[in-house]
Amino acid sequence: MSNGKSYDVRWQRTRRAYLYAHPWCVLCAQAAVVADHHPISRRQLIDQGVTDPDAWERLRPLCVRCHNGETAKRQPGGWAAERRSERESGLS
């Protein structure tokens, strides 16, 4: 059984079905290729103990350009920089 921390086969099926049902980016109306967790990240949902972090109501469809822009705003330096900062501060 998955611990929810990785993107497993279940996530891949959820993502594919979600993007099929929501084919357009909510920010620019281009073709959506990313099912983005919003307003908080999947990792934050898991850390909060949410039992289904991949529920459709926690997702939004985005194109790659908008996803990259949103990630840059929400995670300056990217996910790896965020994890590095947590390790250095002793949070993880």
Side-chain angles (χ1 to χ4, degrees):
M1 179 170 207
S2 172
N3 64 4
K5 294 209 179 220
S6 64
Y7 289 102
D8 57 9
V9 171
R10 182 176 175 270
W11 161 248
Q12 295 302 323
R13 288 181 186 139
T14 298
R15 176 191 169 280
R16 189 176 317 121
Y18 182 80
L19 290 173
Y20 182 79
H22 303 90
W24 308 112
C25 177
V26 295
L27 300 179
C28 74
Q30 295 296 314
V33 294
V34 178
D36 184 45
H37 288 81
H38 182 75
I40 62 175
S41 72
R42 184 174 196 263
R43 198 177 76 191
Q44 290 170 319
L45 291 165
I46 292 167
D47 289 347
Q48 291 176 7
V50 173
T51 56
D52 187 7
D54 301 326
W56 282 23
E57 63 268 10
R58 295 186 181 94
L59 302 175
R60 65 179 176 170
L62 296 177
C63 68
V64 171
R65 191 176 120 240
C66 290
H67 177 261
N68 290 346
E70 289 292 299
T71 300
K73 280 193 278 188
R74 293 188 318 199
Q75 295 173 315
W79 185 83
E82 185 178 306
R83 293 295 293 167
R84 188 171 39 256
S85 174
E86 288 177 0
R87 276 195 311 271
E88 289 169 0
S89 66
L91 293 176
S92 83

